[in-house]
Amino acid sequence: MTRSRIDLQDLLFGLFLVVVAAGTLVATRKLAIGHAADMGPGYMPRVVAVALMGFGLFFSGRGLWRMRVGIAPVQLRPLLAILASVGVFALTAERLGLAIASVVAVILASFATREGRLIEAIAFAIVLSGAAVLLFVKLLGLPIPIWPR
Amino acid sequence: MELFNNLLMGLSTALELNNLLFCLIGVVIGTAIGVLPGIGPIPTVALLLPFTFGLSPPSAMIMLAGIFYGAQYGGSTTAILVNVPGETSSVVTCIDGHEMAKQGKAGTALAIAAIASFFAGTTATIVIAVLSVPLSMLALKFTAVEYFSLLVLGLIAAVVLAHGSVAKSLAMVLLGLLLGLVGIDVSSGVARMTFGIAALSDGLDFVPIAMGLFGLGEIIANLERPVERRVVSQSIRSLIPSQEDFRAAFPAMVRGTALGSVLGVLPGGGAALPPFSSYALEKKLARDPSRFGKGAIEGVAGPEAANNAGAQTSFIPLLTLGIPANALMALMIGALMMQGIQPGPQIMTEQPKLVWGVIASMWVGNLMLLVINLPLIGLWVSMLKIPYRLLFPAIVLFCCIGTYGIANSLFNVWLMMGCALIGYFFIKIGVEPAPLLLGLVLGPQLEENFRRAMLIADGDFAVFLSRPISAVILGVVAILLLAMLSPQILKTRKEALAE
């Protein structure tokens, strides 16, 4: 934790809410609002978005005004490895089949920590991939190809 | 006598061979999850949801419930032996439980934890059964107006009683509500916030969201702070507590059960608040409070009883009113909806077999936990030796396949990836994601009942205050919110929830 002149936690949360609320208001601008007795599809989204906007502005303001601790530094290694693992699974699962996608996903995920050893990760990935195919495709009948088509 | 008949009907469901099996699977998986620090019950339940689609609704709920209370139980094993809470609810058990283990009394601590949990589980089952009937009678008087107010109460109470800043939690509820609105609007058939993506027309699946926010986000954050685990390696000698130990533990067990049962019913209470309160109570009542933190057996018995009782009674709002008390119960509601059961105040009258079957299975499951855990303690201890560097890639893979499996949709995998990033962001900025899940699951019901209530009342908002039941419920909401502004309560809440 580092000391910061602004409350970064509050500020970031506030900005996040403002962005979401603004996005909602833009995305729903064409929906009919209707009135209370007969609400259109745009009524609730807009009510919620306006309320979120209020919270967002409140937190942003409080974040700028209060002096508090900042946030712990972001470590890219675990973040990128896990996201990449999931992303690669999504890209390959249907094209290359579950067996290969699983191996790749597990190896990529194991890069998230420095403790990992590559040989161990590969061996473990192959074992897990086999287990996943047996469990999900053979036993549970998940309609996903095992090998590349 | 009605109660007796209901319990009997429940037992006959719970004791069906396949339900016994699913209950066993549930408690075993739950215990394993509880023992292993690094993945919580929320992503686990989310992960296992696709497996329950083929089951009948009672079997599915029995298994999922088993995972939940099994996890509470397993958490205490890790707490005692490794001094790392497997679950948030066993944070307090670490204090005296691990101290007992260091003194060579690991067996006694584990046994007392098991006995306290079983005692609390049995009592809580009876509490649920007794409370369910009057609550469901009341619920039958509910129209859309009352139900809307009740949903608001559920959401607000969950926010007020849970960890973290109330304002942030309220914002998270709203965020969840907003996500719940994505999809085709039921009344007009217009697509809302789908951005032209066909996979979004049925709305966002809550499983990838739960797995991303609670599972993967947590894993990424865990990997940033490497924790070393040291298992107390001495062999576990005697599992049977001495008479003296038992005499010291029993009153704590009873008090813990009572406290846990009450706090569990409150929305947001769940299993996190009761053990903390019980520990504080035991310390206050003890003749020599300085023993606490140095291996006091009451410090294990009370909180363990409280957390198990609380875990179980938190099912009451779900089973009688169809309202989840916490994020995990929200997943259970989701499981019900996927089974085609509309949760609501009628759930008890329309699904008696389901409700009473789940209630009775809790007692059966607690008995199983007692039987499988004490002899198998060695197995659980050896599971603790699985290194995290092997555990987390496996969890990531199973999350990917599990999310895909819900609708055979790669969109859900991408959604989970996005939620993992957001979940990590939330952890970094110190925001609890649980209220978001509540909002997401309750959002559609909240909107539907609000629209229906407004339709009945011709757009007059006063209807929520002119109907007596609704007015009382909203009165409670107002009191809760006002109470949160009082500095005195803010202070005690901070102390009670401080970890």
Side-chain angles (χ1 to χ4, degrees):
Chain A
M1 292 276 166
T2 46
R3 287 201 67 85
S4 160
R5 200 162 303 192
I6 48 179
D7 189 337
L8 208 52
Q9 293 196 326
D10 268 10
L11 181 63
L12 286 176
F13 186 49
L15 292 178
F16 174 75
L17 294 179
V18 168
V19 169
V20 173
T24 307
L25 290 176
V26 173
T28 58
R29 68 190 182 281
K30 286 182 189 144
L31 298 181
I33 302 185
H35 47 90
D38 182 20
M39 287 173 216
Y43 192 95
M44 283 294 276
R46 239 166 283 192
V47 169
V48 177
V50 167
L52 262 188
M53 183 68 87
F55 272 107
L57 293 174
F58 167 72
F59 285 120
S60 310
R62 199 174 73 171
L64 286 174
W65 179 68
R66 274 208 309 200
M67 196 147 96
R68 279 284 288 281
V69 286
I71 55 178
V74 173
Q75 292 182 19
L76 283 180
R77 191 186 176 104
L79 180 66
L80 293 180
I82 300 289
L83 294 182
S85 168
V86 177
V88 167
F89 182 88
L91 287 175
T92 55
E94 281 183 355
R95 273 172 244 169
L96 299 182
L98 185 62
I100 294 175
S102 299
V103 171
V104 179
V106 171
I107 293 175
L108 270 177
S110 64
F111 278 117
T113 167
R114 278 174 220 282
E115 289 173 49
R117 285 153 242 171
L118 191 61
I119 304 293
E120 183 194 69
I122 293 172
F124 186 60
I126 293 171
V127 173
L128 265 186
S129 163
V133 168
L134 274 181
L135 179 65
F136 288 96
V137 183
K138 298 290 178 202
L139 215 66
L140 294 164
L142 192 72
I144 184 171
I146 301 177
W147 299 111
R149 285 188 265 213
Chain B
M1 265 315 86
E2 197 194 339
L3 176 68
F4 186 69
N5 286 339
N6 286 332
L7 274 177
L8 215 58
M9 171 178 63
L11 265 179
S12 74
T13 310
L15 293 178
E16 279 170 26
L17 198 61
N18 62 336
N19 287 342
L20 276 179
L21 183 69
F22 290 120
C23 187
L24 183 67
I25 296 175
V27 295
V28 169
I29 295 177
T31 311
I33 295 307
V35 168
L36 293 171
I39 181 167
I42 292 177
T44 312
V45 168
L47 191 57
L48 292 171
L49 270 185
F51 293 99
T52 63
F53 291 167
L55 307 180
S56 71
S59 305
M61 290 304 281
I62 284 172
M63 186 172 117
L64 294 174
I67 295 171
F68 179 48
Y69 55 75
Q72 303 296 334
Y73 184 101
S76 60
T77 306
T78 320
I80 291 168
L81 294 178
V82 205
N83 202 19
V84 169
E87 298 305 323
T88 35
S89 57
S90 33
V91 171
V92 229
T93 311
C94 288
I95 309 173
D96 281 287
H98 189 64
E99 209 50 49
M100 285 179 75
K102 278 204 224 153
Q103 293 164 14
K105 289 163 78 185
T108 313
L110 288 168
I112 279 293
I115 295 166
S117 298
F118 177 70
F119 175 80
T122 309
T123 315
T125 306
I126 299 169
V127 172
I128 298 176
V130 171
L131 271 183
S132 297
V133 178
L135 267 177
S136 64
M137 301 275 263
L138 179 70
L140 285 180
K141 296 197 171 74
F142 281 22
T143 64
V145 177
E146 284 82 15
Y147 197 51
F148 171 79
S149 304
L150 191 64
L151 286 167
V152 172
L153 173 64
L155 284 172
I156 299 287
V159 162
V160 169
L161 294 166
H163 295 248
S165 138
V166 173
K168 285 186 181 170
S169 302
L170 281 175
M172 290 297 268
V173 167
L174 285 173
L175 203 56
L177 288 178
L178 193 63
L179 293 177
L181 295 176
V182 171
I184 304 273
D185 172 34
V186 192
S187 337
S188 62
V190 179
R192 298 193 287 192
M193 295 178 272
T194 60
F195 306 101
I197 300 167
L200 282 180
S201 54
D202 279 342
L204 290 165
D205 263 328
F206 53 87
V207 173
I209 295 181
M211 280 199 214
L213 287 183
F214 294 88
L216 298 183
E218 191 70 41
I219 286 177
I220 299 171
N222 275 342
L223 285 166
E224 288 191 352
R225 34 183 151 85
V227 217
E228 56 172 321
R229 285 190 246 159
R230 211 176 295 128
V231 184
V232 173
S233 54
Q234 38 126 348
S235 62
I236 294 149
R237 266 164 293 173
S238 158
L239 277 173
I240 299 159
S242 69
Q243 215 166 29
E244 186 198 337
D245 280 337
F246 198 74
R247 209 171 303 135
F250 187 73
M253 224 181 266
V254 175
R255 286 189 291 265
T257 304
L259 197 62
S261 302
V262 174
L263 292 176
V265 184
L266 301 176
L273 187 57
F276 290 102
S277 320
S278 165
Y279 192 79
L281 178 72
E282 289 310 320
K283 205 167 164 180
K284 210 165 259 176
L285 289 177
R287 222 170 290 154
D288 176 15
S290 69
R291 278 173 44 249
F292 280 79
K294 293 176 193 149
I297 198 162
E298 302 97 305
V300 177
E304 276 302 310
N307 105 39
N308 215 37
Q312 266 175 259
T313 53
S314 65
F315 274 88
I316 292 180
L318 173 82
L319 291 174
T320 55
L321 306 168
I323 292 205
N326 50 47
L328 208 120
M329 294 299 133
L331 273 185
M332 298 272 180
I333 291 260
L336 283 178
M337 292 196 285
M338 287 188 156
Q339 294 270 3
I341 293 174
Q342 187 58 45
Q346 326 77 7
I347 187 163
M348 222 169 175
T349 35
E350 281 171 12
Q351 300 284 344
K353 230 174 99 93
L354 171 79
V355 172
W356 290 103
V358 173
I359 293 174
S361 83
M362 289 181 182
W363 185 74
V364 178
N366 272 286
L367 193 63
M368 286 179 182
L369 279 174
L370 193 62
V371 176
I372 53 176
N373 277 289
L374 290 181
L376 291 185
I377 195 79
L379 175 74
W380 305 121
V381 174
S382 62
M383 268 189 63
L384 276 172
K385 292 179 183 140
I386 302 177
Y388 195 57
R389 67 167 194 278
L390 292 183
L391 199 58
F392 80 83
I395 300 171
V396 172
L397 174 65
F398 287 135
C399 282
C400 288
I401 307 178
T403 352
Y404 176 84
I406 292 161
N408 301 323
S409 126
L410 284 176
F411 176 78
N412 275 351
V413 183
W414 289 116
L415 178 62
M416 181 176 77
M417 189 179 107
C419 287
L421 183 64
I422 296 172
Y424 173 78
F425 171 66
F426 284 156
I427 291 173
K428 278 282 165 189
I429 59 169
V431 187
E432 280 278 328
L436 187 150
L437 201 59
L438 278 175
L440 173 65
V441 171
L442 291 185
Q445 291 186 61
L446 198 72
E447 186 192 20
E448 195 190 318
N449 283 290
F450 182 55
R451 279 166 110 164
R452 210 182 294 157
M454 287 289 92
L455 206 63
I456 304 171
D458 207 19
D460 180 10
F461 290 99
V463 70
F464 294 111
L465 296 175
S466 59
R467 300 266 188 113
I469 298 178
S470 165
V472 170
I473 297 173
L474 289 180
V476 176
V477 172
I479 291 169
L480 273 177
L481 285 177
L482 282 177
M484 282 322 297
L485 296 174
S486 127
Q488 186 60 43
I489 290 177
L490 268 177
K491 197 167 143 257
T492 16
R493 177 176 177 271
K494 220 175 195 165
E495 280 163 15
L497 296 174
E499 274 180 49

